[in-house]
Each structure stands twice: as C-alpha cells, then as structure tokens.
C-alpha cells in the first residue's frame, strides 16, 4: 500500500459522497499487482462511478465506510 501522503482518489471519493452519491459496493483486492487495492462503487440516481486506490489513507477511510454500511 502507498503511504500517508495526499491521495487524489480519496479526495474525489469524499467529494462524491458530499455531493450525495451513495456507496453501492466496497471490494478489496489484497492480491492486486503492486499491492492491495480498495474499490468503492457509487451510485446517484441512474449514474454510477467508482474510486480505486492502494493508498493507506484511502484504505482507512473505506474501513470506516464499511462500518457505516453494516
């Protein structure tokens, strides 16, 4: 996993959530080339998007989202 520095994908995910997008699915790929990846699939009405990152800060944020989903 990448370090704690800035992660543009995390900022993008936060912006989408603030704009009313909802989490549809969260997946982890621990065996991805280059290191573990987290993917958050989002939806807003009929639109869909996703954010993927191997960044540690992204992973920690996604862990919180998973807790909220349960």
């Amino acid at each position: 996993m990448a370090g704690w520095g800035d992660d543009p994908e995390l900022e993008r995910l936060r912006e989408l959530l603030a704009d009313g997008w909802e989490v549809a699915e969260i997946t982890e790929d621990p065996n991805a080339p280059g290191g573990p990846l987290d993917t958050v699939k989002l939806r807003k009405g009929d639109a869909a998007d996703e954010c993927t990152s191997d960044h540690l800060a992204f992973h920690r944020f996604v862990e919180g989202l998973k807790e909220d989903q349960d």
Side-chain angles (χ1 to χ4, degrees):
M1 270 191 188
W4 278 102
D6 292 338
D7 180 15
E9 198 68 358
L10 175 57
E11 292 309 312
R12 183 171 164 269
L13 174 58
R14 287 181 171 152
E15 289 172 9
L16 289 169
L17 292 170
D19 193 35
W21 288 74
E22 297 180 359
V23 175
E25 181 181 356
I26 297 172
T27 58
E28 295 179 51
D29 184 355
N31 301 314
L37 288 176
D38 293 293
T39 299
V40 180
K41 294 184 180 183
L42 304 147
R43 69 172 175 254
K44 185 175 181 182
D46 292 335
D49 204 343
E50 68 179 47
C51 297
T52 299
S53 180
D54 68 346
H55 202 277
L56 185 56
F58 188 90
H59 177 74
R60 297 285 187 235
F61 185 79
V62 169
E63 287 295 312
L65 289 177
K66 287 196 306 192
E67 289 177 12
D68 291 345
Q69 295 268 300
D70 292 338

